[in-house]
Amino acid sequence: MDREISKEFRRKERQKKLLRAGAGVAAVVAVIWLIISLLQSEVRRSDLMISKVATGTLEVSVSATGKVIPAFEEIINSPITSRILEVYRRGGDSVDVGTPILRLDLQSAETEYNKLLDEEKTKRLELEQLRIRTRNTLSEMDMSLKVSRMELSRQEVELRNEQYLDSLGAGTTDKVRQVALSVDVSRLKLAEDEQKYLNQQALSEADIKIKELELNIFSKSLAETRRTLEDARIRSPRKAILTYVNNEVGARVEQGSRVAIVSDLSHFKVEGEIADSYGDRIAPGSRAVVKTGKDKLDGVVSTVTPLSRNGVISFTVQLDDDSNSRLRSGLKMDVYVMNAIKDDVMLIANGSYYSGQGEYDMFVVSGNELIKRKVRLGESSYEYVEVVGGLSAGEEVVVSDMARFADREKLRIEN
């Protein structure tokens, strides 16, 4: 007769099975760890970037980030508040000088311009009227002066006749005095009229000059309005590529708002940014090298912004070969600006391992092994890094990424 297996027995049997399974898993994990450990202890030389410590001259540089932008770019703003009626070109189209890009609603602007034209004509006519009135007034005054001079001449002749008759005894002294007084009065009146004529002449000339000045100012304002109206017929200012256009037909555009951008995409420059703490190391005229991947281009710093914005200073690099086929607008590049030269220093190749001056753990080649060593690095250029201590000239050091071996002190090299 079968006996029922006790619960305690079944529990012990289950624990034995679990222990055997756990031991098997642990053995597998240990084997895997051992294999990985052995693999990690060896590296192939072909997978490493090795640099030999050399002695030479270092062109010290500071690194910055940069972006390729068109050498020339012009933003076209709406000169008036209006709305878009038609769009003739799309982004990416090539345009020549004067090519229409879009059409704005100019009806109200043209009406205002025609009104100003009529006002200019009115001002010209007013000026002409003033000149005619001035000529008439001065002509009348001049005629009056001629009459006064003739009257004075007649009285002077009469005075001489009376004086002659009085000398002969045929005249009287009172008569001579009366005629002489009339002559003096006529002389004073003539002098007064002559002064009035001169005053009126000067006043009329001043009035005409004021009117001419007002007309001149108005004409300049009209010319500016005419130029604004012409600018409102949005056209390309030069031969270039249309990189942006507001193509929302019917949209309202405010005065000064951007409606299009034209760019010269055959020539480029690099716009760089660097922390303001390095601002004293960058100046116009400094030699620069820009890199993207393995490609590099030479250039010169052309401008540096005088102010820091959000802890960053911007600068522009003018490239020697600004039409290089590898350049594309918006392409990100590393920028290195040269600022000093050091002679007779130990150098190793620059790479992703370098993040600034300080102490590094680096693997040094020793026969068929790599030995980790503390190395102190100094300043750098885009190609080389200064070795301050920990290495000797002629030694070889790994300059590729060795982060996965950070816990290793020694590695074997597999050829």
Side-chain angles (χ1 to χ4, degrees):
M1 183 175 181
D2 294 335
R3 288 187 304 170
E4 182 181 356
I5 301 174
S6 67
K7 292 182 179 180
E8 181 65 23
F9 181 79
R10 288 200 300 269
R11 185 181 63 79
K12 289 181 178 180
E13 287 296 318
R14 189 163 52 248
Q15 287 179 345
K16 289 179 180 180
K17 290 180 180 179
L18 290 174
L19 288 173
R20 285 195 293 270
V25 170
V28 171
V29 170
V31 170
I32 293 173
W33 179 85
L34 180 61
I35 293 173
I36 293 175
S37 178
L38 289 173
L39 290 175
Q40 288 185 338
S41 297
E42 291 186 355
V43 289
R44 287 181 296 184
R45 191 178 184 93
S46 59
D47 294 336
L48 301 176
M49 292 178 60
I50 298 176
S51 175
K52 191 172 185 178
V53 182
T55 302
T57 299
L58 176 69
E59 284 188 293
V60 181
S61 65
V62 290
S63 60
T65 58
K67 181 176 69 174
V68 178
I69 61 174
F72 165 81
E73 187 173 72
E74 183 169 344
I75 298 174
I76 303 175
N77 298 317
S78 174
I80 61 173
T81 297
S82 182
R83 64 190 184 90
I84 299 173
L85 295 182
E86 291 183 83
V87 178
Y88 304 123
R89 293 289 185 273
R90 297 182 180 275
D93 288 352
S94 297
V95 290
D96 282 317
V97 178
T99 300
I101 297 175
L102 55 82
R103 182 165 72 92
L104 300 178
D105 184 0
L106 304 179
Q107 183 175 354
S108 59
E110 288 174 341
T111 300
E112 181 64 24
Y113 176 68
N114 291 331
K115 180 181 175 181
L116 292 175
L117 282 176
D118 293 339
E119 190 172 344
E120 184 191 34
K121 290 178 182 178
T122 301
K123 288 184 176 293
R124 290 188 183 279
L125 291 174
E126 288 176 351
L127 176 59
E128 189 60 30
Q129 285 179 339
L130 178 60
R131 286 172 175 160
I132 293 172
R133 284 199 301 269
T134 297
R135 285 198 297 267
N136 289 340
T137 300
L138 293 177
S139 179
E140 290 175 358
M141 293 180 71
D142 185 55
M143 187 60 68
S144 177
L145 284 173
K146 289 179 180 179
V147 172
S148 296
R149 291 190 186 102
M150 292 173 66
E151 180 63 22
L152 178 59
S153 296
R154 185 190 65 78
Q155 290 178 352
E156 288 175 340
V157 170
E158 184 180 355
L159 176 59
R160 286 195 295 272
N161 290 338
E162 288 297 331
Q163 288 173 339
Y164 178 70
L165 291 174
D166 184 49
S167 65
L168 297 175
T172 62
T173 303
D174 290 340
K175 182 66 174 175
V176 172
R177 289 175 179 171
Q178 183 180 359
V179 175
L181 181 60
S182 296
V183 170
D184 291 339
V185 171
S186 295
R187 283 175 178 168
L188 290 174
K189 188 174 184 309
L190 177 61
E192 181 184 11
D193 290 344
E194 287 176 340
Q195 187 60 50
K196 285 183 179 180
Y197 178 83
L198 294 175
N199 292 342
Q200 182 61 41
Q201 190 179 40
L203 181 61
S204 297
E205 289 177 356
D207 288 342
I208 290 174
K209 286 181 179 179
I210 289 174
K211 283 290 185 180
E212 288 175 341
L213 182 59
E214 289 177 351
L215 178 60
N216 188 37
I217 293 173
F218 188 84
S219 296
K220 289 180 180 179
S221 176
L222 182 63
E224 180 65 20
T225 303
R226 184 187 304 113
R227 186 189 66 80
T228 300
L229 187 61
E230 184 61 29
D231 289 345
R233 309 177 197 280
I234 307 299
R235 302 173 185 273
S236 174
R238 63 186 66 233
K239 184 175 182 179
I241 302 296
L242 185 63
T243 53
Y244 166 80
V245 61
N246 186 339
N247 56 7
E248 298 180 20
V249 175
R252 178 182 173 85
V253 291
E254 299 295 331
Q255 180 180 359
S257 62
R258 183 177 62 179
V259 293
I261 300 176
V262 292
S263 306
D264 179 2
L265 298 184
S266 61
H267 299 275
F268 298 90
K269 59 185 177 182
V270 175
E271 188 177 68
E273 291 185 342
I274 193 170
D276 54 10
S277 57
Y278 294 97
D280 59 337
R281 300 193 184 188
I282 296 181
S286 300
R287 193 171 75 85
V289 173
V290 296
K291 294 182 65 179
T292 174
K294 296 182 179 180
D295 298 329
K296 67 175 183 177
L297 296 170
D298 294 325
V300 174
V301 175
S302 57
T303 59
V304 180
T305 56
L307 299 177
S308 170
R309 180 176 297 178
N310 297 325
V312 171
I313 290 178
S314 299
F315 61 95
T316 303
V317 176
Q318 188 68 45
L319 299 172
D320 295 343
D321 182 9
D322 62 359
S323 59
N324 192 287
S325 60
R326 291 169 291 183
L327 296 174
R328 295 288 184 274
S329 182
L331 181 66
K332 300 292 185 181
M333 307 192 84
D334 294 321
V335 183
Y336 300 88
V337 180
M338 314 307 166
N339 61 83
I341 294 178
K342 287 187 172 183
D343 293 322
D344 296 325
V345 295
M346 288 191 297
L347 305 172
I348 58 174
N350 201 342
S352 59
Y353 69 92
Y354 182 74
S355 58
Q357 300 183 52
E359 194 171 67
Y360 292 77
D361 288 326
M362 303 189 74
F363 284 95
V364 181
V365 178
S366 177
N368 292 326
E369 291 184 327
L370 297 178
I371 309 298
K372 183 183 287 186
R373 189 186 300 177
K374 293 288 185 181
V375 177
R376 186 161 186 80
L377 303 179
E379 296 182 299
S380 68
S381 69
Y382 70 97
E383 289 182 305
Y384 300 105
V385 177
E386 176 190 13
V387 178
V388 178
L391 293 173
S392 301
E395 287 188 306
E396 292 182 322
V397 60
V398 178
V399 294
S400 51
D401 184 11
M402 300 292 283
R404 67 185 186 278
F405 302 113
D407 59 338
R408 298 288 178 177
E409 296 294 326
K410 184 184 297 185
L411 296 169
R412 289 192 299 274
I413 300 176
E414 179 184 343
N415 293 320

